[in-house]
Amino acid sequence: MLIVRVFVDTGLIPAFDPRPYTEDWHLHRSEERYLGFVTDRCTEVKRPRSGDIVVFRYGRCYSHGGIVTSSDPLSMVHAFQPAGLVYEEMVAHNAELAKPTRRPRAFSLWREGER
Protein backbone atom coordinates (compact mmCIF):
# COMPACT_ATOMS: atom_id res chain seq x y z
CA MET A 1 0.00 0.00 0.00
CA LEU A 2 2.71 2.42 -1.10
CA ILE A 3 0.20 5.07 -2.13
CA VAL A 4 -1.47 5.07 1.30
CA ARG A 5 1.86 5.47 3.09
CA VAL A 6 3.06 8.30 0.84
CA PHE A 7 -0.17 10.29 0.94
CA VAL A 8 -0.73 9.76 4.70
CA ASP A 9 2.89 10.26 5.78
CA THR A 10 3.21 13.51 3.81
CA GLY A 11 0.03 14.82 5.42
CA LEU A 12 -1.94 15.01 2.17
CA ILE A 13 -4.77 12.88 3.53
CA PRO A 14 -5.86 11.87 7.04
CA ALA A 15 -4.51 8.57 8.33
CA PHE A 16 -6.57 5.46 7.71
CA ASP A 17 -5.95 1.75 7.92
CA PRO A 18 -6.95 -0.18 4.78
CA ARG A 19 -6.61 -3.57 6.46
CA PRO A 20 -7.65 -6.23 6.21
CA TYR A 21 -6.58 -6.20 2.59
CA THR A 22 -4.82 -9.40 1.61
CA GLU A 23 -2.39 -9.60 -1.31
CA ASP A 24 -4.71 -11.93 -3.22
CA TRP A 25 -7.98 -10.05 -2.61
CA HIS A 26 -8.37 -9.33 -6.33
CA LEU A 27 -8.28 -13.03 -7.21
CA HIS A 28 -11.15 -14.09 -4.95
CA ARG A 29 -13.46 -11.11 -4.57
CA SER A 30 -15.30 -8.68 -6.83
CA GLU A 31 -15.67 -5.88 -4.28
CA GLU A 32 -13.69 -2.83 -5.47
CA ARG A 33 -12.02 -2.15 -2.10
CA TYR A 34 -8.75 -0.79 -3.50
CA LEU A 35 -10.56 1.43 -5.99
CA GLY A 36 -12.84 2.58 -3.17
CA PHE A 37 -9.84 3.81 -1.16
CA VAL A 38 -8.90 5.98 -4.14
CA THR A 39 -12.37 7.24 -5.14
CA ASP A 40 -13.18 8.19 -1.54
CA ARG A 41 -10.31 10.69 -1.63
CA CYS A 42 -9.65 11.60 -5.27
CA THR A 43 -11.47 12.59 -8.44
CA GLU A 44 -11.16 10.64 -11.67
CA VAL A 45 -9.39 12.53 -14.46
CA LYS A 46 -8.81 11.75 -18.13
CA ARG A 47 -5.16 12.75 -18.30
CA PRO A 48 -2.95 12.09 -15.30
CA ARG A 49 -0.26 14.55 -14.24
CA SER A 50 2.69 14.17 -11.91
CA GLY A 51 1.50 13.41 -8.38
CA ASP A 52 -1.78 11.87 -9.54
CA ILE A 53 -2.63 8.20 -9.07
CA VAL A 54 -3.07 5.61 -11.79
CA VAL A 55 -4.74 2.28 -11.01
CA PHE A 56 -4.86 -1.00 -12.93
CA ARG A 57 -7.26 -3.89 -13.04
CA TYR A 58 -5.87 -7.23 -11.86
CA GLY A 59 -8.02 -10.30 -11.47
CA ARG A 60 -11.60 -9.23 -10.79
CA CYS A 61 -10.89 -5.70 -9.52
CA TYR A 62 -8.68 -2.66 -9.62
CA SER A 63 -5.94 -3.73 -7.24
CA HIS A 64 -2.66 -2.12 -8.28
CA GLY A 65 -1.64 1.49 -8.52
CA GLY A 66 1.18 3.97 -8.50
CA ILE A 67 1.99 7.64 -8.25
CA VAL A 68 2.41 9.30 -11.64
CA THR A 69 5.83 10.86 -12.24
CA SER A 70 5.32 11.75 -15.91
CA SER A 71 2.27 11.89 -18.13
CA ASP A 72 4.03 11.58 -21.48
CA PRO A 73 5.12 8.88 -21.57
CA LEU A 74 3.06 7.64 -18.65
CA SER A 75 5.49 6.74 -15.87
CA MET A 76 4.93 5.99 -12.22
CA VAL A 77 6.49 4.95 -8.94
CA HIS A 78 4.97 1.73 -7.66
CA ALA A 79 5.63 -1.35 -5.58
CA PHE A 80 5.51 -4.15 -8.11
CA GLN A 81 5.51 -7.55 -6.42
CA PRO A 82 6.98 -9.52 -9.35
CA ALA A 83 10.00 -7.19 -9.25
CA GLY A 84 10.17 -7.31 -5.44
CA LEU A 85 10.84 -3.59 -5.05
CA VAL A 86 9.55 -0.05 -5.33
CA TYR A 87 10.70 1.70 -8.48
CA GLU A 88 9.85 4.15 -11.23
CA GLU A 89 9.08 2.91 -14.71
CA MET A 90 7.25 3.73 -17.91
CA VAL A 91 3.97 1.84 -17.99
CA ALA A 92 4.52 0.92 -21.66
CA HIS A 93 7.74 -0.89 -20.70
CA ASN A 94 5.98 -3.18 -18.24
CA ALA A 95 4.45 -6.09 -20.16
CA GLU A 96 1.93 -6.78 -17.40
CA LEU A 97 0.71 -3.20 -16.92
CA ALA A 98 0.60 -2.45 -20.65
CA LYS A 99 -1.98 -5.18 -21.33
CA PRO A 100 -5.32 -3.72 -22.56
CA THR A 101 -7.15 -5.82 -19.96
CA ARG A 102 -5.58 -3.72 -17.19
CA ARG A 103 -7.80 -0.76 -18.20
CA PRO A 104 -5.87 1.98 -16.37
CA ARG A 105 -7.78 4.80 -14.71
CA ALA A 106 -6.32 8.05 -13.34
CA PHE A 107 -7.30 10.02 -10.24
CA SER A 108 -6.21 13.31 -8.73
CA LEU A 109 -6.26 14.61 -5.19
CA TRP A 110 -5.92 18.17 -6.48
CA ARG A 111 -7.95 18.50 -9.68
CA GLU A 112 -11.63 18.18 -10.44
CA GLY A 113 -12.75 15.57 -12.93
CA GLU A 114 -12.43 16.23 -16.64
CA ARG A 115 -15.25 15.38 -18.99
Side-chain angles (χ1 to χ4, degrees):
M1 301 296 291
L2 174 70
I3 297 170
V4 173
R5 290 283 29 108
V6 169
F7 278 70
V8 168
D9 291 353
T10 57
L12 292 170
I13 61 172
F16 74 99
D17 187 352
R19 294 175 292 186
Y21 188 81
T22 60
E23 287 184 20
D24 62 351
W25 176 271
H26 61 286
L27 298 175
H28 309 291
R29 305 278 195 286
S30 296
E31 180 186 355
E32 291 284 4
R33 291 191 67 195
Y34 186 93
L35 187 60
F37 300 145
V38 176
T39 58
D40 286 349
R41 292 156 182 86
C42 299
T43 303
E44 190 162 12
V45 294
K46 286 184 180 180
R47 293 172 195 88
R49 296 183 191 159
S50 295
D52 288 344
I53 295 169
V54 64
V55 296
F56 299 85
R57 187 174 191 82
Y58 267 81
R60 298 179 180 185
C61 326
Y62 283 87
S63 57
H64 182 72
I67 300 170
V68 175
T69 56
S70 174
S71 55
D72 189 23
L74 181 59
S75 302
M76 67 178 186
V77 171
H78 65 130
F80 196 54
Q81 189 173 20
L85 51 89
V86 173
Y87 65 113
E88 179 182 19
E89 73 174 329
M90 284 189 284
V91 172
H93 288 179
N94 183 310
E96 280 298 311
L97 297 179
K99 290 179 180 178
T101 56
R102 299 294 177 224
R103 299 193 303 235
R105 294 171 66 182
F107 297 85
S108 180
L109 184 63
W110 301 276
R111 296 182 291 141
E112 292 186 22
E114 302 163 349
R115 301 191 191 227

